[in-house]
Amino acid sequence: MKFSKIRKFAQRHGLLALPGAAFAKLRASAAYASYAAKTGPSPQQLAGQRAKEFRFSPKISIITPVYNTPLSVLEETLKSVLAQTYANWELCLADGSPADWPGRAALEKYSARDPRIKVRFLQTNDGITGNSNAALAMAGGDYIGLLDHDDILRPDALYEVVAALNAGPEADLLYSDEDKLAADGKTRFFPHFKPDWSPDTFRSYNYICHFSVLKKSLLEAAGPFRPGFEGSQDYDLLLRAAEKARCIHHIPKVLYSWRVVPGSTSDDENAKPYACVSGRKALEEHLERTGRKADVLAGCAQGIYRISYSAPAVKTAVFVPAARADDAYLQNLIAGTALPDCEFFVLADENAAPRRIAGKEINVIGRGVLAPLKTRAAAFAFINGGILPRDNDWLCGMLEHALRDGVGAAGGKILNGATRITNCGYLIGPDCLPRPLHKNAPDSRMGYMCRTHIIQNISAAAGCLVTRRGVFENAGGFDPYYQTELREIDYCLRVRAFGKTVVWTPYARFDRADRTDCAIFPETELAHFAARWSESVKSGDPFYNPNLSPEGDFSLATR
């Protein structure tokens, strides 16, 4: 760790936590080195890729802006492109370096050796945006790949892109997983195993990052890199492209390494503070273009954002199960719900007379599938027994997402006491067994890629769920077969099945007072759940990653 990072960690977690953190980092690096060696393509596989004849073999133009790049670093990038097992590519380099820069001769040598390498020496340095656009102007391919001057492509990177295009030709924006490459040019570490396309996660930070491939017609429709977004020029471009893309495809393989060099955000998230300003501006303009009324706020770290949406004021009904709805529980729930136009209902087997608690009328309503529709509320919040809000703005924090067009349901963070996480939503793996995300992780930590502290898309939420009346009605309410949190998980999968997303927010927090294990479900309910969903989930959870442990703790999968 750098000293600045050590100091920040110690301030947050205490000096006694440092040895454990350092050991964990070393152990994780060793585990990934072993994992990468096992999962990378073998020499025989690479030879097979070189001999492969695709039905669709598009030319991919890789664009790379260059400025005073250390010669050894630049040559490694060039060699990684030359080593590609897929041959129909061109590398377009726009160099804004001074005329006496020693790399100029190297670029001339490489371009003379291979006509696929095209170099333009610029009279002036126009910055990363201008130099990137100069490289883009040279591109004659069907697809455009974005590559930094110090990134390293895996030899199968372009092959995997073209294989994906042959399997799904509608894809017009593709991205992959990544890792970091140490200054020694050998040590790979800190892999980022990404989710499939997740628009809310992408608005929290640019998780696509460097190497991405766009269909040329999509890039032309979105427009080139724009001045004024330096440091986040890729984020701005990808936001504009995503707005127009037909299909965004994720390749769950590490296809490039992001080199760690001094002065880069790969080495220090605070290295380029202007990049955060540019990123915020890119998000603000994206929200304006797409007609979303929202504010872009600072998130939990540099380069991470919180989108705060303007939710309309609507009547909301809060439902709790009768089994845990004693007067003390309801009084605490009401006290922790700072929303004036809110009514409370107890779900029971039979209707009963209302009662007043803390100045609110508590109605009792039957537990029928569509019983909540008997109310006049425009939104419903379902809270399981034993769960209480930690923040009095929890409902507003979930309504701002649940009321958005395209969103089916919103969930929040469930804590088991003050320090540990019970769940941050649920993973639904190919075995059709729901597993809580980040279970037992310390709430003080950011989690894998800050995933415990950012707004994101997930497969399912439970414990506390907020949904719109119209969505609830179209989904047919809850399945009465379930008596556990499988009820909400099943509901989330059903709303996703008809095109809605599920949003999880860390800005609505709850305590599970009864300390029950939310991951234990009756066998009969699991069988019922599997009968409905096993076919749908056999390809895995789109918001997780097959390289990660199926237990939902974001550790490496065992291979």
Side-chain angles (χ1 to χ4, degrees), residues 90-430:
E90 63 178 7
L91 176 60
C92 304
L93 299 136
D95 176 28
S97 307
D100 59 353
W101 174 60
R104 179 182 284 257
L107 289 179
E108 291 174 335
K109 179 185 71 173
Y110 276 94
S111 63
R113 183 185 302 171
D114 194 318
R116 295 175 297 177
I117 298 178
K118 301 158 68 173
V119 182
R120 179 182 173 188
F121 296 106
L122 306 176
Q123 292 185 347
T124 60
N125 176 39
D126 294 326
I128 191 167
T129 297
N131 294 357
S132 295
N133 282 333
L136 182 59
M138 303 162 60
D142 308 290
Y143 290 81
I144 308 297
L146 310 181
L147 185 70
D148 270 17
H149 62 171
D150 54 2
D151 287 344
I152 302 295
L153 286 181
R154 304 267 76 75
D156 58 337
L158 297 185
Y159 175 91
E160 291 292 349
V161 168
V162 176
L165 288 171
N166 276 265
E170 70 283 355
D172 48 7
L173 197 170
L174 303 94
Y175 65 96
S176 73
D177 298 337
E178 67 182 64
D179 61 18
K180 300 286 181 64
L181 183 68
D184 62 12
K186 298 177 182 179
T187 306
R188 292 168 57 189
F189 65 104
F190 201 59
H192 186 177
F193 293 118
K194 306 169 187 178
D196 289 351
W197 174 238
S198 308
D200 287 288
T201 312
F202 193 59
R203 293 186 194 109
S204 291
Y205 62 80
N206 179 10
Y207 73 80
I208 291 180
C209 207
H210 289 181
F211 183 63
S212 53
V213 176
L214 299 87
K215 195 171 185 178
K216 190 172 185 180
S217 58
L218 172 63
L219 200 152
E220 290 171 343
F225 295 95
R226 298 194 295 169
F229 293 90
E230 282 72 18
S232 291
Q233 68 284 336
D234 289 0
Y235 197 17
D236 172 59
L237 174 62
L238 291 170
L239 283 166
R240 288 183 281 120
E243 294 163 18
K244 298 179 180 294
R246 290 186 307 163
C247 175
I248 301 175
H249 181 74
H250 167 225
I251 301 170
K253 296 182 178 182
V254 174
L255 297 186
Y256 78 99
S257 294
W258 188 8
R259 186 183 290 272
V260 175
V261 294
S264 167
T265 51
S266 63
D267 182 50
D268 184 357
E269 63 187 18
N270 298 304
K272 298 178 180 178
Y274 61 88
C276 297
V277 178
S278 297
R280 180 172 183 166
K281 180 182 176 184
L283 281 167
E284 288 171 343
E285 293 195 12
H286 159 71
L287 294 166
E288 184 177 355
R289 284 192 304 269
T290 55
R292 294 178 171 92
K293 295 182 179 180
D295 294 319
V296 181
L297 309 177
C300 60
Q302 288 279 4
I304 294 177
Y305 308 91
R306 174 188 177 181
I307 309 298
S308 179
Y309 294 89
S310 299
V314 300
K315 180 179 283 294
T316 304
V318 179
F319 298 92
V320 296
R324 298 302 302 270
D326 56 60
D327 287 2
Y329 174 82
L330 290 169
Q331 186 166 355
N332 288 334
L333 177 62
I334 293 168
T337 307
L339 196 67
D341 201 4
C342 188
E343 52 188 0
F344 294 83
F345 292 86
V346 172
L347 293 167
D349 291 328
E350 296 181 0
N351 291 352
R355 48 184 164 148
R356 291 191 70 80
I357 296 177
K360 286 280 188 177
E361 187 171 273
I362 309 296
N363 293 285
V364 180
I365 196 169
R367 292 195 301 175
V369 172
L370 297 175
L373 296 179
K374 295 178 182 178
T375 73
R376 295 182 179 180
F380 305 143
F382 298 93
I383 301 184
N384 287 346
I387 292 179
L388 277 172
R390 292 189 69 174
D391 313 299
N392 62 8
D393 59 350
W394 67 273
L395 190 50
C396 294
M398 298 173 78
L399 280 171
E400 69 175 86
H401 301 292
L403 296 176
R404 288 162 44 201
D405 289 340
V407 176
K413 178 185 287 187
I414 313 296
L415 300 167
N416 194 350
T419 60
R420 294 280 170 175
I421 292 171
T422 294
N423 79 74
C424 295
Y426 279 83
L427 154 73
I428 316 295

Side-chain angles (χ1 to χ4, degrees), residues 369-370 372 380 382 467-478 491:
V369 172
L370 297 175
F380 305 143
F382 298 93
T467 187
R468 278 181 289 154
R469 180 190 187 94
V471 173
F472 187 82
E473 185 173 14
N474 290 337
F478 291 124
Y491 177 80

